[in-house]
């Protein structure tokens, strides 16, 4: 019986009780993380801090994160708690604990849950410094006022034609095993989460700092494949890239930051096609996609926002 | 229409209150925030933070209804 629960607490986190919820005879691994208030941040001496929360949304968001990660990593149990109100140095601000059959998924899940709580939970931290000043801090502990992203970042004047997301991989790691057949869904709007990717996609929170959180694909490449292989009706979903765009030269953006519909991205590398494309599209498709950067562009998501088709 | 607007963190501090009733002509949270930002100089751009309506995250072009509870959520900083 799995035990998955997120709680928001105004008193000291009861670590012993949460840990007891992780007991499971099938669990070979339990990983816990205890996030504490430290006495310094960004070169300043911190004397205390305070967390403000939006309780209804924080609880539903925390619970959803635990359930999604438990399902994805096959956990036996997952528990987490976040404090609200004033905290002293050394107190536990957040606690995450997971149980799984083996250590790999347990370590990965605990890390991912913790990262997601930092970025997605509607909770805000106010630090009071040794000199008496206080300030709301943003994610990554930068000042919420000056840590604003996006200044001076070029804007893509591109069109978003289609959005594709899938719950699981079809090809990755499937060498000689045959493709899987996870469905792929076309949607009109998708939520981007900084450091995580596209909500509900297989690469959402896949691993820390993953360079392929999202993939862009040029609509002209889709058309070129249709023409080359005489398949005028071929769906752009076959390539299993996320965002079908027009009006931007993807090859120019490797290693650069940009904004698209207000969301900030950092392009990492060309999304190289693999031999599965020959099976999914037609023999020769892999070679054809390797040319002219047709394979698409991989990127990290740097800020939160929503992308819309036609937006 | 009249809605309840809730401010959190930095935005609550800049507005000087946590919640207020606002009568407005906006159709979406983006338009409503533009009105509030003009009036109270809240200073964040909608591309940099999120909004919830009736305890659920929504996009900035979500359609508002009379009596909605709109929460303005500056960049989060849990953990």
């Amino acid at each position: 019986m799995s035990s998955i629960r997120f709680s928001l607490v105004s008193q000291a986190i009861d670590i012993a009780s949460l840990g007891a919820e992780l007991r499971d005879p099938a669990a070979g691994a339990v990983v816990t993380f205890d996030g504490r208030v430290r006495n310094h941040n960004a070169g300043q001496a911190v004397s205390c801090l305070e967390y403000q929360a939006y309780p209804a949304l924080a609880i539903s968001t925390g619970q959803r994160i635990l359930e999604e990660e438990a399902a994805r990593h096959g956990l036996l149990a997952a528990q987490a708690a976040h404090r609200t109100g004033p905290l002293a140095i050394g107190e536990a601000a957040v606690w995450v604990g997971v149980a799984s059959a083996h250590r790999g998924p347990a370590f990965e899940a605990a890390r991912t849950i913790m990262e997601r709580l930092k970025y997605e939970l509607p909770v805000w931290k106010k630090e009071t410094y040794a000199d008496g000043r206080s300030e709301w801090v943003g994610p990554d502990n930068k000042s919420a006022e000056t840590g604003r992203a996006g200044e001076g970042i070029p804007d893509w004047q591109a069109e978003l034609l289609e959005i594709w997301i899938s719950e699981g991989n079809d090809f990755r790691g499937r060498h000689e095993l045959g493709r899987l057949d996870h469905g792929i869904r076309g949607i009109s709007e998708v939520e981007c989460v900084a450091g995580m990717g596209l909500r509900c996609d297989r690469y959402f929170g896949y691993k820390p700092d993953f360079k392929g959180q999202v993939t862009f694909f040029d609509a002209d490449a889709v058309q070129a494949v249709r023409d080359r292989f005489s398949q005028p009706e071929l769906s752009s979903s076959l390539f299993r890239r996320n965002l079908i765009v027009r009006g931007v030269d993807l090859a120019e953006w490797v290693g650069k930051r940009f904004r698209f519909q207000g969301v900030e991205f950092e392009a990492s590398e060309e999304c190289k096609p693999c031999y599965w494309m020959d099976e999914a599209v037609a023999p020769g498709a892999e070679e054809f996609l390797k040319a002219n950067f047709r394979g698409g562009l991989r990127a990290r998501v740097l800020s939160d926002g929503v992308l819309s088709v036609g937006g | 229409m009249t809605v309840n607007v809730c401010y959190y963190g930095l935005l609550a501090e800049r507005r000087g209150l946590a919640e207020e009733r606002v009568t407005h002509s906006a159709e979406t949270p983006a338009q409503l925030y533009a009105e509030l930002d003009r009036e109270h100089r809240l200073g964040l751009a909608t591309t940099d933070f999120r909004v919830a309506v009736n305890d659920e995250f929504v996009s900035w072009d979500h359609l508002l209804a009379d009596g909605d509870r709109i929460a303005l959520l500056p960049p989060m900083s849990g953990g």
Side-chain angles (χ1 to χ4, degrees):
Chain A
M1 185 63 203
S2 75
S3 162
I4 300 175
R5 198 169 87 95
F6 176 82
S7 52
L8 197 63
V9 295
S10 56
Q11 304 293 319
I13 296 173
D14 185 352
I15 291 171
S17 304
L18 292 174
E21 295 293 320
L22 299 174
R23 281 193 206 121
D24 187 309
V30 168
V31 169
T32 67
F33 173 81
D34 185 350
R36 298 182 182 182
V37 179
R38 67 170 178 267
N39 68 356
H40 64 281
N41 182 29
Q44 303 194 79
V46 174
S47 55
C48 62
L49 56 77
E50 182 184 340
Y51 285 100
Q52 183 189 53
Y54 175 175
L57 190 57
I59 290 167
S60 63
T61 303
Q63 185 72 28
R64 191 187 62 208
I65 291 170
L66 292 183
E67 285 170 6
E68 286 175 358
E69 296 308 324
R72 190 205 319 243
H73 296 279
L75 301 179
L76 297 164
Q79 296 278 321
H82 201 295
R83 272 295 298 274
T84 60
L87 275 80
I89 302 300
E91 273 196 275
V94 58
W95 192 88
V96 174
V98 301
S100 127
H102 301 285
R103 68 187 180 284
F107 274 115
E108 271 184 36
R111 173 72 192 256
T112 302
I113 290 167
M114 187 55 222
E115 297 300 317
R116 290 188 64 183
L117 292 176
K118 280 184 86 75
Y119 286 96
E120 296 180 54
L121 208 60
V123 167
W124 298 271
K125 174 160 50 182
K126 187 178 198 177
E127 292 182 337
T128 298
Y129 305 105
D131 61 9
R133 289 175 312 108
S134 62
E135 184 176 41
W136 290 101
V137 295
D140 301 327
N141 295 320
K142 289 176 195 149
S143 160
E145 303 201 40
T146 56
R148 202 170 127 183
E151 304 289 345
I153 306 259
D155 230 328
W156 270 14
Q157 301 300 320
E159 239 184 304
L160 178 56
L161 303 176
E162 289 166 281
I163 302 172
W164 297 105
I165 61 168
S166 177
E167 311 282 345
N169 294 310
D170 273 15
F171 307 132
R172 194 182 176 87
R174 301 294 299 169
H175 185 60
E176 292 186 348
L177 295 172
R179 74 174 287 178
L180 295 173
D181 209 8
H182 286 101
I184 189 157
R185 288 192 285 143
I187 52 179
S188 58
E189 170 170 295
V190 70
E191 188 186 342
C192 306
V193 180
M196 301 297 297
L198 306 180
R199 184 170 314 279
C200 297
D201 188 60
R202 59 207 183 279
Y203 291 121
F204 187 77
Y206 179 67
K207 57 186 180 185
D209 202 36
F210 183 54
K211 58 190 172 185
Q213 290 167 3
V214 55
T215 49
F216 292 90
F217 199 77
D218 194 329
D220 291 347
V222 178
Q223 193 55 47
V225 170
R226 285 175 183 153
D227 294 345
R228 168 69 180 74
F229 297 97
S230 307
Q231 295 188 39
E233 306 293 315
L234 178 129
S235 168
S236 53
S237 68
L238 285 181
F239 304 102
R240 299 188 64 80
R241 307 294 193 248
N242 299 124
L243 305 171
I244 312 294
V245 296
R246 175 177 289 145
V248 60
D249 183 359
L250 298 175
E252 282 183 7
W253 291 89
V254 172
K256 296 179 185 164
R257 292 167 88 172
F258 58 91
R259 299 189 82 142
F260 184 39
Q261 294 190 7
V263 182
E264 197 181 331
F265 298 90
E266 182 181 64
S268 52
E269 62 183 13
E270 179 178 5
C271 191
K272 295 212 172 75
C274 67
Y275 61 85
W276 290 106
M277 287 294 120
D278 283 4
E279 187 185 307
V281 179
E286 181 195 358
E287 279 306 310
F288 187 72
L289 288 166
K290 275 182 180 166
N292 299 332
F293 211 84
R294 291 191 187 110
L297 182 67
R298 305 174 88 192
R300 297 182 176 90
V301 180
L302 302 185
S303 76
D304 296 341
V306 175
L307 296 177
S308 311
V309 168
Chain B
M1 74 177 95
T2 301
V3 297
N4 283 311
V5 178
C6 303
Y7 302 89
Y8 290 90
L10 179 67
L11 288 173
E13 193 161 291
R14 289 190 180 167
R15 178 64 190 95
L17 48 79
E19 185 163 357
E20 64 179 338
R21 282 175 75 75
V22 178
T23 300
H24 64 91
S25 57
E27 289 178 0
T28 66
Q31 292 166 4
L32 174 63
Y33 178 75
E35 284 183 22
L36 295 168
D37 188 27
R38 236 183 344 261
E39 202 170 329
H40 307 297
R41 297 179 179 281
L42 299 171
L44 292 183
T46 55
T47 47
D48 294 334
F49 71 104
R50 302 178 72 183
V51 61
V53 172
N54 302 333
D55 298 340
E56 286 183 18
F57 291 112
V58 297
S59 65
W60 284 101
D61 58 5
H62 173 90
L63 285 181
L64 295 177
D66 195 49
D68 275 348
R69 182 171 183 276
I70 293 140
L72 299 174
L73 314 170
M76 294 155 197
S77 50

